[in-house]
Amino acid sequence: MFKKILIANRGEIACRVAATARRMGIQTVAVYSDADAGAKHVQACDEAVHVGGSAPKDSYLRWERILQAAKDTGAQAVHPGYGFLSENEDFAKACAAAGLVFIGPPASAILAMGLKAESKRLMESAGVPLVPGYHGADQDPALLQHEADRIGYPALIKASAGGGGKGMRVVEKSEDFAAALASCKREAINSFGSDAVLIEKYVQRPRHIEIQVFGDTQGNCVYLFERDCSVQRRHQKVLEEAPAPGMTEALRAQMGAAAVAAAKAVNYVGAGTVEFIVEQTAYDQPESMKFFFMEMNTRLQVEHPVTEAITGLDLVEWQLRVASGEALPLRQDQLRIQGHAIEARICAENPDNNFLPATGTLQVYRKPQATSFERGTVRVDDGVREGDTISPFYDSMVAKLIVHGDTREQALARLDTALAQTHIVGLNTNVQFLRHVVRSEAFATAKLDTALIQREAPVLFKQEAVGLPAAVAAVVAHTLHAEKALQGADPFSRRDGWQSHGLAQRRFEFVWQDQPRSARLNYLHDGALSLSLEGDDAASGVLTFAAHGEGLWVQWGNAPRCFSQLDWQGETAHLFTPQGATRITVLDPLAHAGEAAQEGGRLTAPMPGKVVSFAVKAGDKVKAGQPLAVMEAMKMEHTISAPKDGVVAELLYAPGDQVADGAELLKLAA
Ligand code: ADP
Ligand code: ADP
Ligand code: MG
């Protein structure tokens, strides 16, 4: 076995590889870019080498540098992870030339499977079923059009060198073919440096079912069953599970045999995945399922943990054993499926805005309690910590949640709970969206196909899991609770301006889904609290709350008791409840006992809005608490007052200017 390996990757997969190496007593070397200098994967390894700038082409793709780092540190082998150099046959060859073991298949197998068209020709001769289509070398547009017409519509044009869901166009009718071909070729040449395409019949009600294979240098090859990755957006995987719902023993054996035949056709060694597209005439008719080869990924796959969960194996350990020359640890007849596993990819993106990738800092990053797979059920694979940044340089994946259960139903329930316990503040993520998918009737009953997200859009997008009354009750309760903790006294004693009709009264101003809202809190004679939401007669009643662990149980009027945790981001409260998460903005900075209340003032805009006027000019001496400016937001005026004594150095806006949330309005010197 190796004594030291270099991990030529970053993020969660680098951490994942390092964990197994550590368990096996193998030393690890990390490589990192400028942006990743303090990254989790660097800390996860025993030593680390800086290999260049933040853009992948300046660091993680610079293989001469990476090979030099391996030599300098005395590493014996290189693990490429996925993405980056993992499917680069030149890199695999260069490793060998440098006397290093490439932890992956032989360069010849990467090459043979690297281009979709060539690999399909190879699979054809190995007797693996192919999607009806054209994958010839002749790329004459007239011929391609003719072939698409012959195959019939809808047809799919694919970049032969494509990957990661890019370089694909579905064509609905013959007249659209020429335009789609031109646009596909443009994307292909830009992304993959080659504009060769192939054409496939667009399979109806398609399911993506892939088979994990493993080969060794002694000529053994086994399959570790299937993964269903049908839930996709933009042809990219979102949720993956194993085994595939509805899979029969007979079909599994056939697909397994086809995958092994595919691997053997290229003398495959190590971990690989053969991806099939499966046609079904109806969701609940497994006997109607027909499978066709799509492509082979000659690397470890993002979703490999679901296979680990149902087999109880460590696939990275298998990779290391095979790469060091050992035989596969188990034969086909020793492999078993146990229970059901599901993985959810948590990505920094905005599902409600066409899954636009998001960037930002993980101001809050709270994860579900992970339990080990022998005893428990939840695994979190990630490459980030609270405070880390999701930068535009790399993939938008933040973490993977993997759950295991005796049945699919149990795994689903565990996934929903694990997602509820995943709290991220600071950037948009798909966590709530994933919960909607997991809870949807279609996913729960396994009506799977690659159009599930599109089909179920009405129940998946722009969903409100926590309503306004629940959000208001929670944020008021959390505010009162925090004030009590901060002051160690009755929160009402220091407030002024809310004493009326002999009853203590206090107003809260909110912004909820871009609308101004307000609530009134009354301090009743018996010490109880009564809360009412203005403009909603039904939302009124006694408010009680009790601390529990990191959160509060809140009860308001007749509404069900609700548990919530809260994190402030400026004036915005991020509420996390078992039902879902939401955010609500509290306008008065003094209304919550956060940083603002302690500072007693601010120089920044609490909300996006308009500057109405300045009460001071440059050079003015001001005292803490003195009004500096007036802003208008959500049809209300807000006074910005000095956080401390000082001299106004500069006004950064003029009256009438539109300002963003958090914009600095003026500068104060000591
Ligand atoms: P999977 O391992 O399930 O196939 P993805 O398709 O999302 O997962 O690919 C894994 C990673 O590899 C992603 O970061 C993706 O961007 C990257 N990737 C996949 N194929 C290619 C390719 N041909 N060229 C560049 N990057 C790729
Ligand atoms: P990539 O290299 O980008 O992963 P694939 O060939 O694996 O490309 O296809 C990606 C996804 O596109 C599949 O998972 C599937 O959802 C869809 N797809 C691919 N081929 C077909 C087809 N012939 N019919 C229907 N859907 C397809
Ligand atoms: Mg694929």
Side-chain angles (χ1 to χ4, degrees), residues 46 67 78 81 139 231 309 337 351 360 424 466 533 550 552 559 587 630:
D46 298 301
L67 291 180
V78 177
Q139 294 283 309
V231 182
I337 296 179
I424 297 176
V466 181
L533 183 60
E550 306 270 282
L552 281 187
L587 282 184
V630 176

Side-chain angles (χ1 to χ4, degrees), residues 492 497-506 521-528:
F492 296 90
W498 45 272
Q499 213 53 38
S500 67
H501 316 298
L503 285 179
Q505 190 179 88
R506 178 169 173 189
L521 183 72
N522 287 298
Y523 192 43
L524 306 179
H525 293 298
D526 56 3

Side-chain angles (χ1 to χ4, degrees), residues 9 61 81-87 114 116 161-166 191-192 208 210 227 229 233 235-237 240 273 275 295 297 299-304 343 345 394-397:
N9 214 299
L61 292 173
Y82 55 71
F84 296 133
L85 298 167
S86 61
E87 292 176 280
K116 293 186 205 291
K166 272 198 250 160
S191 302
F192 310 109
H208 174 122
E210 58 187 34
R227 294 184 287 257
C229 314
R233 51 125 174 72
H235 302 299
Q236 290 169 346
K237 299 158 187 166
E240 302 106 338
T273 295
E275 296 189 333
E295 65 163 345
N297 291 330
R299 54 176 162 88
L300 193 66
Q301 205 99 335
V302 173
E303 59 275 19
H304 76 276
E343 172 181 279
R345 297 191 192 194
Y394 314 111
D395 209 273
S396 62
M397 196 165 75

Side-chain angles (χ1 to χ4, degrees), residues 231 241 243 245 339-342 405-414 442-448:
V231 182
E241 59 185 302
H340 198 96
I342 312 179
D406 292 337
T407 59
R408 185 173 192 266
E409 197 185 357
Q410 197 178 74
L412 264 174
R414 286 185 171 144
F443 189 71
T445 56
K447 292 196 171 56
L448 302 178

Side-chain angles (χ1 to χ4, degrees), residues 197-212:
V197 299
L198 58 108
I199 297 162
E200 285 178 3
K201 173 185 167 208
Y202 194 73
V203 169
Q204 291 305 292
R205 230 180 256 116
R207 276 172 73 176
H208 174 122
I209 300 181
E210 58 187 34
I211 306 281
Q212 175 73 55

Side-chain angles (χ1 to χ4, degrees), residues 467-500:
L468 172 66
V472 165
V475 79
V476 169
H478 276 274
T479 299
L480 299 176
H481 183 68
E483 284 175 351
K484 213 166 191 170
L486 202 69
Q487 298 161 6
D490 183 340
F492 296 90
S493 61
R494 68 175 269 275
R495 297 273 155 192
D496 40 47
W498 45 272
Q499 213 53 38
S500 67

Side-chain angles (χ1 to χ4, degrees), residues 287-497:
E287 60 288 350
S288 78
M289 283 162 61
K290 273 201 286 194
F291 66 94
F292 307 102
F293 173 86
M294 252 190 323
E295 65 163 345
M296 181 170 186
N297 291 330
T298 53
R299 54 176 162 88
L300 193 66
Q301 205 99 335
V302 173
E303 59 275 19
H304 76 276
V306 294
T307 300
E308 297 186 319
I310 61 156
T311 58
L313 302 170
D314 180 334
L315 297 194
V316 174
E317 177 180 339
W318 276 41
Q319 286 190 296
L320 293 167
R321 290 194 182 286
V322 164
S324 71
E326 290 181 29
L328 289 177
L330 296 174
R331 295 186 314 266
Q332 191 67 53
D333 61 8
Q334 295 173 305
L335 293 163
R336 294 274 175 282
I337 296 179
Q338 236 189 36
H340 198 96
I342 312 179
E343 172 181 279
R345 297 191 192 194
I346 296 178
C347 297
E349 63 187 18
N350 190 348
D352 290 341
N353 186 8
N354 204 19
F355 297 100
L356 196 72
T359 55
T361 300
L362 292 161
Q363 290 171 2
V364 174
Y365 176 40
R366 221 176 280 130
K367 307 187 255 190
Q369 191 82 45
T371 47
S372 87
F373 264 83
E374 296 86 75
R375 288 175 292 111
T377 55
V378 180
R379 164 172 163 184
V380 182
D381 279 18
D382 62 13
V384 287
R385 297 147 307 194
E386 193 167 82
D388 284 353
T389 299
I390 304 296
S391 74
F393 299 112
Y394 314 111
D395 209 273
S396 62
M397 196 165 75
V398 178
K400 307 188 299 201
L401 287 189
I402 307 103
V403 296
H404 185 240
D406 292 337
T407 59
R408 185 173 192 266
E409 197 185 357
Q410 197 178 74
L412 264 174
R414 286 185 171 144
L415 181 56
D416 193 41
T417 302
L419 285 165
Q421 294 170 346
T422 305
H423 301 175
I424 297 176
V425 174
L427 39 77
N428 273 315
T429 71
N430 62 347
V431 173
Q432 295 309 311
F433 170 78
L434 286 168
R435 294 196 71 190
H436 299 316
V437 178
V438 166
R439 290 166 159 205
S440 71
E441 163 83 14
F443 189 71
T445 56
K447 292 196 171 56
L448 302 178
D449 70 274
T450 59
L452 185 140
I453 289 178
Q454 250 171 307
R455 196 160 26 88
E456 300 297 320
V459 297
L460 300 182
F461 297 106
K462 303 195 170 139
Q463 296 297 301
E464 186 182 276
V466 181
L468 172 66
V472 165
V475 79
V476 169
H478 276 274
T479 299
L480 299 176
H481 183 68
E483 284 175 351
K484 213 166 191 170
L486 202 69
Q487 298 161 6
D490 183 340
F492 296 90
S493 61
R494 68 175 269 275
R495 297 273 155 192
D496 40 47

Side-chain angles (χ1 to χ4, degrees), residues 1-2 5 7 12-28 44-46 79 103 300 304 308 313-321 379 381:
M1 184 48 65
F2 310 115
I5 62 169
I7 303 169
E12 67 91 14
I13 193 61
C15 295
R16 163 73 193 89
V17 173
T20 290
R22 170 152 305 185
R23 188 173 58 71
M24 294 174 70
I26 301 168
Q27 297 278 305
T28 50
C45 292
D46 298 301
H79 195 301
I103 303 171
L300 193 66
H304 76 276
E308 297 186 319
L313 302 170
D314 180 334
L315 297 194
V316 174
E317 177 180 339
W318 276 41
Q319 286 190 296
L320 293 167
R321 290 194 182 286
R379 164 172 163 184
D381 279 18

